[in-house]
Amino acid sequence: MISPLAGKRIVITRPPHKAQTFANVLKTLGAEPVVLPLIETRAPQNSAPLDEALRALPRYDWVIFTSANAVDFTFRRIEALKIDPAALVGMQFAAIGPATANALESHGSTPALVPREHVAEGLFAALNNLMSLDGMRILIPQANLARPVLADLLREAGASVDAVVAYDTVRPEIDPGLLAQPVDAITFTSPSTVQHFVESFDDPRAILGGALVACIGPVSADAARAVGLEPDVVANPYTVEGLIVALEKAFERTSEA
């Protein structure tokens, strides 16, 4: 059966090391992926707060990761600081979604909690339903541009939260020629990709023409609306796999109209 994505030019805005798997799946479905990285991740300019937190890991009841990048940069730092792996034994980890959980498992740690709804609010609700958060000590290694909502909710519930920067998200130089030919859809997998897209073009809506705006979840969708890009597709579940399925359904509806 031919996929509704066959022949479609679909823009991937993830950084290159995250884009390849997405691109490979699109190719198997007959689509033409256009990799236009709009974010780049780097070690934080100031790693001192992260280092201080990691050297005191045993004092935390939970470590919460809200992205696979946060997992990878945190474990790189654990290795660089030569922290004894025994410090991780018995540690309770939470992961915001399956990709983050997979990243944790690749480092030998299994998350004790993965919420059903893969957003900060869903993670908070799952943790809050699991136990009283009053007095809990929680570490959140995160991006420099991460939303403060999770830390705020946890603090309101009585937890002591250290939210520290584990990596910086920056806007890379892009090749506008990649969008010289019309595209059928652009995918946004984080609010940062949305923000960097509109910062990269004088008239981003004109650049897109009639292309579908596809967001991985409600947080990215809200970021798109905030800059005037009404999402045509919002994935559920909030994963790359969910995004691909949502795109297939959207193009299927278009062909039937």
Side-chain angles (χ1 to χ4, degrees):
M1 181 177 176
I2 298 176
S3 167
L5 299 186
K8 305 297 185 186
R9 298 188 79 227
I10 298 173
V11 180
I12 300 173
T13 58
R14 309 191 92 187
H17 72 286
K18 296 285 186 182
Q20 198 54 55
T21 302
F22 192 175
N24 289 342
V25 174
L26 290 178
K27 286 179 183 176
T28 64
L29 296 172
E32 179 186 348
V34 179
V35 179
L36 179 74
L38 291 174
I39 61 171
E40 195 171 282
T41 55
R42 299 174 181 169
Q45 287 191 331
N46 178 14
S47 64
L50 175 64
D51 293 354
E52 181 182 348
L54 294 178
R55 288 190 175 105
L57 269 177
R59 75 182 180 191
Y60 294 104
D61 300 298
W62 283 84
V63 181
I64 296 176
F65 291 104
T66 55
S67 73
N69 283 324
V71 174
D72 292 337
F73 278 99
T74 297
F75 275 81
R76 281 184 214 172
R77 204 63 202 153
I78 287 172
E79 185 176 344
L81 294 173
K82 301 186 185 307
I83 291 174
D84 187 346
L88 303 177
V89 175
M91 181 70 62
Q92 297 269 57
F93 295 105
I96 198 166
T100 307
N102 289 341
L104 261 172
E105 288 167 357
S106 75
H107 290 283
S109 297
T110 301
L113 177 70
V114 182
R116 294 182 64 180
E117 191 177 8
H118 311 318
V119 293
E121 293 84 348
L123 199 157
F124 167 75
L127 202 56
N128 197 35
N129 288 335
L130 191 64
M131 68 190 73
S132 169
L133 295 171
D134 191 26
M136 285 284 174
R137 296 191 61 92
I138 297 174
L139 173 64
I140 309 176
Q142 59 185 7
N144 59 325
L145 301 179
R147 294 189 305 151
V149 61
L150 178 57
D152 289 347
L153 289 169
L154 291 167
R155 288 181 182 124
E156 287 171 12
S160 173
V161 181
D162 290 331
V164 297
V165 175
Y167 66 101
D168 289 341
T169 298
V170 298
R171 180 161 61 98
E173 293 293 325
I174 66 168
D175 177 7
L178 289 171
L179 298 183
Q181 297 179 41
V183 298
D184 297 290
I186 184 168
T187 59
F188 293 115
T189 50
S190 70
S192 296
T193 57
V194 176
Q195 189 62 42
H196 291 176
F197 176 72
V198 298
E199 290 173 355
S200 300
F201 299 97
D202 292 335
D203 190 347
R205 187 66 258 187
I207 288 287
L208 292 179
L212 297 182
V213 174
C215 298
I216 199 167
V219 177
S220 297
D222 286 345
R225 291 189 189 96
V227 296
L229 298 176
E230 184 59 31
D232 301 289
V233 174
V234 181
N236 190 0
Y238 315 146
T239 61
V240 168
E241 293 77 12
L243 186 55
I244 291 171
V245 171
L247 274 170
E248 286 187 308
K249 291 179 178 176
F251 282 117
E252 198 169 43
R253 288 194 297 271
T254 301
S255 65
E256 291 172 351

